[in-house]
Amino acid sequence: MGISARELAANTPATRDRYVDLLRVASLGVVVLGHWLMAAVTADGAVGNLLAVVPELQIVTWVFQVMPVFFFVGGFSHAIAHRSRPQYAAFLRARLQRLLRPTMVFIGVWGALALVVQLLGGDRGLTGVALRLVAQPLWFIGIYLAMVAFTPPLLKLHERYGWGAFAALVAAAAAVDVLRFAADVPYVEFLNFAFVWLAVHQLGFLRADGMIRLPGALAVAGLAGAGLLVAFGPYPLSMVGMPGEKVSNMAPPTLALLCHGLWLVGAVELLRGPGARFAARAGVWRKVVAANGIAMTAFLWHLSAMLGVYGALLALGARLPAPATAGWWVQAPLRIAAAALLTAGLVAAFRRFERPATAAPATGEGGPVAALGITLALLGVLGLSMVGFGGLLEGRTALLIAVHVSAPAAVGMALAGWLLVERAGRGGRRGPGAA
């Protein structure tokens, strides 16, 4: 049996930054709640976005699009983890165990379900939409894999240049947008999946070394920059992706989204004092520890739960009010509560795959194999987030960085990458005399 959340909470060292753990849980929680609320499913099974139905609500994404906070926290955690385990392969395996194992289980379960559904001819209506939508959260996993992979070299640059390394990433992101919008260079926008998110991640390194000393200035600069870019540039108001929009701030990410990330990081740093005192409360800290232990599993399955609730309502013949009407808002708390209960059931079923395995002995071997593994894993996961689980038998594809990828190919890359990372983290094959 593993150690309980209560025991982990009681044994937490006094030196641990509990506010960071609180931010990690809170940011994922806001993302999950936002997805549940934004889903606008109609009586015919079509899935839309509440922000498209009520465009005036798009301004709230400037507060509730908090994924940059999660990546900022990731940078802080990765800096500390790498300094305590500097061997590349061992670092990758230690950071990715609780990420890739539940992800591979999710992919395996949904891949099998999708194949059965398609063989039975049931991939139409809401079911067909679900096969595509449930894979969308995997984009986050793919980006996070890239952040882990780039931590060692970017941490070295941070240790040498400090804010200069961050500024270089910001300049690169700006240059990409100039080439995209002013010069119309094809495919260049995909580079900002790296530059934008790695710049936010780099802020976590700066926090780990106590270098964010003027969070108020950071917040003001970020908010002003995002406002000016949206007001006078080609950037949309929404900081989340919108169906059918010509330009998205999210996919690929833009300089406006990077400014939004600066504003959020500055804001959460301004709240650091009261946030740390809140996280230090015994009852709060136990809940934070418990939530961190299931956070990735809940994130992976929350859209499955939401679509399951809507599917059950349609199957039972329940009346679904038109999105954003009075009846829809009245029903919203009940739908969210049902999605939360179903998510809890899925977490109970799959949470064991998120528990960390026994740590492998640290070795200096396996770096190239680990690098190949994480590259395959992130390409596979990103590809699957774009193509979804539908069309497995027809060979449906989606464009991933100028290359068309199918769901079977994406699954194969993700699985092969995971196995390579696991193998490299254990130091490769044992020699003949190994115990």
Side-chain angles (χ1 to χ4, degrees):
M1 292 181 62
I3 302 175
S4 69
R6 181 177 292 272
E7 292 172 314
L8 285 172
N11 294 330
T12 302
T15 55
R16 186 176 183 91
D17 193 329
R18 303 184 186 204
Y19 182 52
V20 166
D21 294 285
L22 175 63
L23 288 176
R24 181 186 296 111
V25 170
S27 58
L28 276 187
V30 170
V31 170
V32 168
L33 184 61
H35 285 169
W36 286 342
L37 186 59
M38 285 192 301
V41 180
T42 58
D44 60 357
V47 180
N49 190 315
L50 176 65
L51 300 179
V53 179
V54 189
E56 296 80 6
L57 291 177
Q58 293 179 19
I59 190 63
V60 304
T61 63
W62 287 49
V63 176
F64 294 107
Q65 164 49 302
V66 294
M67 197 57 85
V69 175
F70 190 92
F71 292 142
F72 163 65
V73 168
F76 174 89
S77 301
H78 296 157
I80 293 174
H82 185 258
R83 285 165 174 168
S84 66
R85 188 184 287 262
Q87 297 86 1
Y88 189 64
F91 164 74
L92 285 188
R93 183 171 183 266
R95 298 308 294 170
L96 298 183
Q97 270 188 350
R98 292 180 62 179
L99 187 68
L100 282 179
R101 290 174 71 223
T103 300
M104 293 304 154
V105 171
F106 174 83
I107 290 173
V109 171
W110 263 110
L113 285 174
L115 188 58
V116 171
V117 166
Q118 191 169 2
L119 288 172
L120 296 176
D123 55 338
R124 297 177 180 83
L126 183 60
T127 303
V129 174
L131 293 178
R132 175 176 55 84
L133 287 183
V134 294
Q136 285 190 356
L138 293 175
W139 78 265
F140 155 80
I141 306 293
I143 298 299
Y144 203 76
L145 288 172
M147 291 180 176
V148 176
F150 283 107
T151 288
L154 287 180
L155 186 58
K156 288 182 180 179
L157 290 175
H158 156 75
E159 290 168 346
R160 183 170 182 179
Y161 298 108
W163 280 97
F166 166 77
L169 288 168
V170 174
V176 166
D177 273 13
V178 170
L179 292 173
R180 174 186 180 182
F181 295 117
D184 199 25
V185 176
Y187 303 122
V188 71
E189 63 268 25
F190 290 107
L191 291 174
N192 266 351
F193 275 114
F195 294 139
V196 168
W197 290 124
L198 287 174
V200 176
H201 188 251
Q202 201 81 3
L203 287 171
F205 296 167
L206 292 163
R207 187 195 191 278
D209 288 340
M211 297 175 68
I212 301 180
R213 299 188 180 95
L214 297 172
L218 190 66
V220 170
L223 191 59
L228 290 171
L229 288 170
V230 169
F232 299 105
Y235 305 96
L237 175 65
S238 176
M239 291 298 164
V240 301
M242 300 296 297
E245 63 185 354
K246 188 174 181 180
V247 176
S248 168
N249 279 322
M250 276 289 294
T254 64
L255 184 61
L257 183 67
L258 176 52
C259 288
H260 171 69
L262 300 185
W263 131 247
L264 285 180
V265 169
V268 298
E269 282 296 280
L270 283 172
L271 297 172
R272 184 173 179 176
R277 289 190 292 272
F278 179 70
R281 297 178 182 177
V284 173
W285 180 239
R286 283 196 298 270
K287 292 180 176 64
V288 170
V289 171
N292 265 308
I294 61 169
M296 195 51 55
T297 303
F299 178 77
L300 285 166
W301 290 97
H302 78 279
L303 281 187
S304 304
M306 180 201 73
L307 292 167
V309 168
Y310 276 111
L313 290 173
L314 291 174
L316 293 171
R319 178 179 173 272
L320 292 181
T325 61
W328 187 90
W329 284 109
V330 168
Q331 283 189 2
L334 297 176
R335 292 193 303 269
I336 290 173
L341 285 173
L342 186 50
T343 300
L346 291 167
V347 167
F350 296 109
R351 63 180 297 176
R352 65 183 182 275
F353 298 106
E354 194 171 344
R355 293 171 185 159
T358 303
T363 72
E365 302 175 358
V369 174
L372 174 61
I374 199 168
T375 301
L376 287 174
L378 74 89
L379 289 175
V381 169
L382 282 177
L384 196 54
S385 75
M386 301 180 75
V387 72
F389 292 100
L392 289 174
L393 299 180
E394 291 91 349
R396 184 183 302 164
T397 63
L399 187 66
L400 173 65
I401 315 178
V403 176
H404 286 276
V405 61
S406 66
V411 171
M413 285 192 292
L415 180 60
W418 173 52
L419 293 175
L420 286 172
V421 170
E422 284 285 306
R423 179 181 181 274
R426 293 189 176 99
R429 294 182 179 178
R430 297 186 178 188

